[in-house]
Amino acid sequence: LCMKEVVVYSAPWCAGCKTLKTALSKAGIEFTEVDIDTPEGTTKAKELGIKSIPVTTIGDLKYIGSKVETIKELIFHIESEV
């Protein structure tokens, strides 16, 4: 269970995003989804400098890509430092 908020920046047309979100759910990782095609999502993506998706943020950390194992490792690393 992750203490830091996990946020996935994605879009409905992004195949890698769908794969990532499905894998995160199967792994039991709770996350908030931000659709970058919405006005609010576009604003947030610009604020973070996101130019490609999917992007997952874990607290202040930003990961670009769809490898769930990498995200799990990042969460584990962050949680072990707490």
Side-chain angles (χ1 to χ4, degrees):
L1 216 55
C2 186
M3 303 298 277
K4 302 264 186 193
E5 183 180 17
V6 177
V7 180
V8 177
Y9 293 84
S10 65
W13 46 265
C14 171
C17 300
K18 289 178 189 169
T19 302
L20 174 63
K21 292 183 290 185
T22 299
L24 288 173
S25 293
K26 283 183 182 176
I29 298 170
E30 293 182 17
F31 63 92
T32 302
E33 180 181 356
V34 175
D35 181 348
I36 65 159
D37 284 345
T38 65
E40 306 91 36
T42 299
T43 301
K44 286 184 181 181
K46 283 182 182 173
E47 287 171 0
L48 289 174
I50 293 172
K51 301 210 185 311
S52 63
I53 52 173
V55 170
T56 303
T57 59
I58 307 158
D60 294 333
L61 190 85
K62 183 167 60 173
Y63 168 71
I64 302 166
S66 58
K67 293 183 179 171
V68 175
E69 289 306 315
T70 302
I71 294 169
K72 283 185 192 175
E73 288 173 19
L74 292 170
I75 290 170
F76 178 77
H77 179 72
I78 290 168
E79 295 305 312
S80 66
E81 291 181 346
V82 174

